[in-house]
Amino acid sequence: MDVLEKIRQYRIERNWTEYQLAEKSELPQSTISSWYRKKQTPTIQSMEKICKAFGITLAQFFTDEDSEIKPL
């Protein structure tokens, strides 16, 4: 899974710029843009903030769209 591409997809679905994502996730825009420039995967703490901004959980982010989350 390409984490950065998936973040980009979620952002584009919402018509958000990187700046808007930064504001909503309370992360510096320079941090977000550096992930793409340096091809770095965000930390778990950053991913939690990104997911919160998108209104999803980390589990939802990392679950394939084709698979369902089944209760235990």
Side-chain angles (χ1 to χ4, degrees):
M1 165 191 288
D2 185 338
V3 172
L4 294 177
E5 183 56 33
K6 194 158 183 181
I7 292 171
R8 185 187 317 266
Q9 288 172 359
Y10 274 109
R11 186 175 56 78
I12 289 170
E13 285 173 8
R14 289 160 176 77
N15 293 316
W16 292 356
T17 63
E18 277 186 12
Y19 180 77
Q20 289 170 308
L21 176 58
E23 282 187 322
K24 293 173 190 302
S25 64
E26 299 178 353
L27 290 166
Q29 191 207 354
S30 60
T31 298
I32 295 171
S33 62
S34 74
W35 295 335
Y36 289 96
R37 275 195 326 276
K38 298 176 182 179
K39 295 185 180 9
Q40 293 177 321
T41 302
T43 64
I44 292 296
Q45 293 83 3
S46 294
M47 284 301 304
E48 287 173 337
K49 290 181 178 186
I50 294 285
C51 288
K52 185 176 178 183
F54 288 142
I56 60 173
T57 65
L58 273 172
Q60 288 170 316
F61 182 90
F62 287 106
T63 300
D64 290 337
E65 293 173 7
D66 295 337
S67 65
E68 283 184 43
I69 297 176
K70 295 183 173 83
L72 297 174

